[in-house]
């Protein structure tokens, strides 16, 4: 194991959080002489949630500059990403390639939120990213959601706020004043849940294709309920959706869901509160659908949240 891996392992052992550090398991290979791919500067910590006793892998990916002598006292912003098995490779590539070592996007520590051990990715995000159980108020013609458990976003948020972020802050050189959340689809539901209930947990929210249709648009109801209890919402929010994520006739359009319209309606609803410390905006990215939009929104969102020292270069 590399020296940095040994240091990470020692940090995990000293944490006292029932956590274990391990490198990602090598993939099954078809040839005996083939070597597994190991992502440089990426480690996996296993953290046990105190309330549920569920074991979650937390992926930590460091920029190349983190280990350089001239950066020994430098503290890095965090980017916390939902759906690590899908988002992690995109985001580290955007940081390393688009970011240009801090010129276009400031170098950051990437934190990937991965499924509970033994749970499928789809069941994990259905359970831990959603704010409610849609089966508790079924209606005629409602869709079959297809998973066994929903509505534990509040519990998962507690694990994130009380264990994941403190663990990372304790063992890595983080700038805790700048913590960026990025999610897509159900991952954006989790981000919106945090935004409405604990907005200061993150300084920036990058929310792609938020599934605001979920459970009869329950997030709109949650926003109305919280609005009566607060005078301000201190957060910077950027929402994105693909141009095809609305009603239309092409195969890439939706047939029954207007995700673009829902996103814009939610933005208008939040703007109507006139919170003095809320900065919110939404963008529709042309020629993208629900499955293709994430790389583009991630690059745009990170350039917005963590602008580099510039000037921006594309070559």
């Amino acid at each position: 194991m590399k020296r940095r891996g040994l240091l990470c392992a020692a940090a995990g052992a000293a944490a006292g959080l029932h956590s274990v550090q391990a490198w990602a398991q090598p993939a099954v290979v078809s040839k005996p002489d083939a070597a597994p791919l190991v992502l440089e500067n990426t480690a996996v910590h296993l953290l046990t949630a105190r309330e549920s006793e569920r074991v979650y892998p937390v992926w930590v990916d460091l920029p190349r500059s983190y280990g350089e002598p001239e950066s020994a006292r430098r503290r890095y912003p965090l980017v916390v990403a939902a759906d690590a098995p899908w988002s992690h490779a995109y985001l580290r590539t955007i940081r390393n390639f688009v970011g240009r070592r801090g010129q276009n996007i400031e170098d950051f520590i990437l934190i990937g939120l991965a499924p509970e051990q033994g749970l499928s990715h789809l069941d994990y995000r259905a359970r831990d990213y959603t704010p409610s159980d849609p089966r508790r108020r079924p209606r005629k013609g409602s869709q079959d959601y297809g998973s066994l458990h929903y509505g534990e976003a509040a519990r998962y948020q507690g694990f994130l706020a009380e264990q994941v972020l403190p663990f990372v802050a304790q063992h890595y050189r983080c700038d805790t004043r700048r913590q960026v959340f990025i999610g897509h689809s159900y991952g954006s539901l989790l981000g919106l849940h945090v935004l409405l209930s604990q907005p200061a947990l993150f300084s920036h929210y990058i929310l792609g294709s938020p599934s605001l249709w979920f459970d009869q648009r329950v997030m709109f109801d949650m926003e109305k309920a919280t609005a009566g209890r607060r005078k301000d919402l201190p957060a910077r929010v950027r929402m994105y959706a693909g141009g095809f994520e609305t009603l239309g006739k092409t195969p890439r359009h939706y047939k029954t869901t207007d995700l673009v319209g829902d996103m814009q309606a939610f933005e208008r609803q939040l703007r109507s509160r006139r919170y003095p410390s809320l900065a919110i905006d939404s963008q529709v990215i042309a020629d993208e659908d629900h499955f293709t939009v994430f790389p583009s929104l991630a690059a745009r969102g990170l350039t917005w949240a963590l602008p580099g020292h510039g000037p921006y270069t594309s070559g």
Side-chain angles (χ1 to χ4, degrees):
M1 184 181 293
K2 295 181 180 180
R3 181 173 181 270
R4 185 174 295 117
L6 291 171
L7 292 175
C8 291
L17 293 175
H18 306 288
S19 62
V20 177
Q21 190 278 339
W23 294 100
Q25 294 298 313
V28 176
V29 293
S30 58
K31 294 181 63 178
D33 60 340
L37 174 67
V38 177
L39 296 179
E40 183 182 8
N41 297 332
T42 297
V44 180
H45 298 272
L46 301 180
L47 301 186
T48 302
R50 285 190 288 264
E51 182 179 350
S52 65
E53 298 186 352
R54 297 165 179 163
V55 179
Y56 290 95
V58 176
W59 301 6
V60 179
D61 188 291
L62 305 176
R64 185 177 301 174
S65 63
Y66 190 92
E68 296 173 349
E70 58 269 27
S71 300
R73 296 186 179 182
R74 179 179 174 183
R75 293 194 170 271
Y76 291 78
L78 293 181
V79 172
V80 178
D83 291 312
W86 294 341
S87 64
H88 190 86
Y90 283 125
L91 295 172
R92 76 188 305 271
T93 298
I94 289 169
R95 182 195 63 204
N96 297 344
F97 183 67
V98 180
R100 286 291 190 260
R101 292 180 62 85
Q103 184 165 350
N104 296 339
I105 300 170
E106 184 177 355
D107 267 350
F108 57 83
I109 298 173
L110 174 60
I111 308 299
L113 304 177
E116 175 196 359
Q117 285 192 320
L119 190 68
S120 75
H121 189 176
L122 293 178
D123 286 336
Y124 153 72
R125 64 202 311 269
R127 183 191 68 190
D128 289 351
Y129 291 0
T130 59
S132 58
D133 188 342
R135 299 167 301 179
R136 292 180 180 176
R137 50 175 188 172
R139 64 177 180 178
K140 185 177 180 180
S142 62
Q143 69 184 86
D144 179 7
Y145 284 84
S147 195
L148 295 176
H149 302 285
Y150 294 90
E152 296 194 24
R155 172 182 276 189
Y156 189 75
Q157 178 180 325
F159 167 65
L160 177 60
E162 297 167 15
Q163 292 186 249
V164 175
L165 293 178
F167 175 84
V168 173
Q170 183 178 0
H171 299 294
Y172 295 92
R173 300 195 311 274
C174 307
D175 181 355
T176 57
R177 300 167 301 173
R178 294 185 297 157
Q179 298 186 154
V180 180
F181 179 90
I182 183 168
H184 176 256
S185 193
Y186 274 11
S188 288
L189 279 186
L190 174 63
L192 287 172
H193 191 279
V194 177
L195 173 68
L196 296 179
S197 57
Q198 199 175 357
L201 191 61
F202 297 99
S203 59
H204 296 75
Y205 292 81
I206 303 169
L207 305 176
S209 306
S211 299
L212 288 161
W213 53 264
F214 180 81
D215 195 7
Q216 303 176 49
R217 303 173 91 223
V218 68
M219 195 58 72
F220 287 85
D221 298 332
M222 293 181 65
E223 192 284 326
K224 291 178 183 177
T226 60
R229 302 194 299 266
R230 63 160 47 101
K231 296 182 179 179
D232 199 4
L233 186 65
R236 282 161 282 188
V237 184
R238 183 69 60 89
M239 297 189 292
Y240 298 91
F244 287 109
E245 295 189 272
T246 187
L247 302 177
K249 296 181 179 180
T250 76
R252 298 180 71 185
H253 280 100
Y254 285 130
K255 306 309 176 189
T256 59
T257 301
D258 185 4
L259 194 150
V260 170
D262 285 345
M263 177 185 74
Q264 293 170 339
F266 196 78
E267 178 190 0
R268 289 194 299 270
Q269 184 166 311
L270 277 174
R271 283 184 181 276
S272 71
R273 311 301 180 194
R274 300 186 182 278
Y275 295 123
S277 302
L278 173 65
I280 185 169
D281 187 22
S282 67
Q283 296 182 7
V284 178
I285 303 176
D287 299 320
E288 302 286 4
D289 60 39
H290 195 69
F291 296 114
T292 66
V293 73
F294 183 75
S296 180
L297 74 87
R300 293 173 184 227
L302 290 171
T303 304
W304 160 73
L306 298 173
H309 53 71
Y312 190 93
T313 177
S314 58

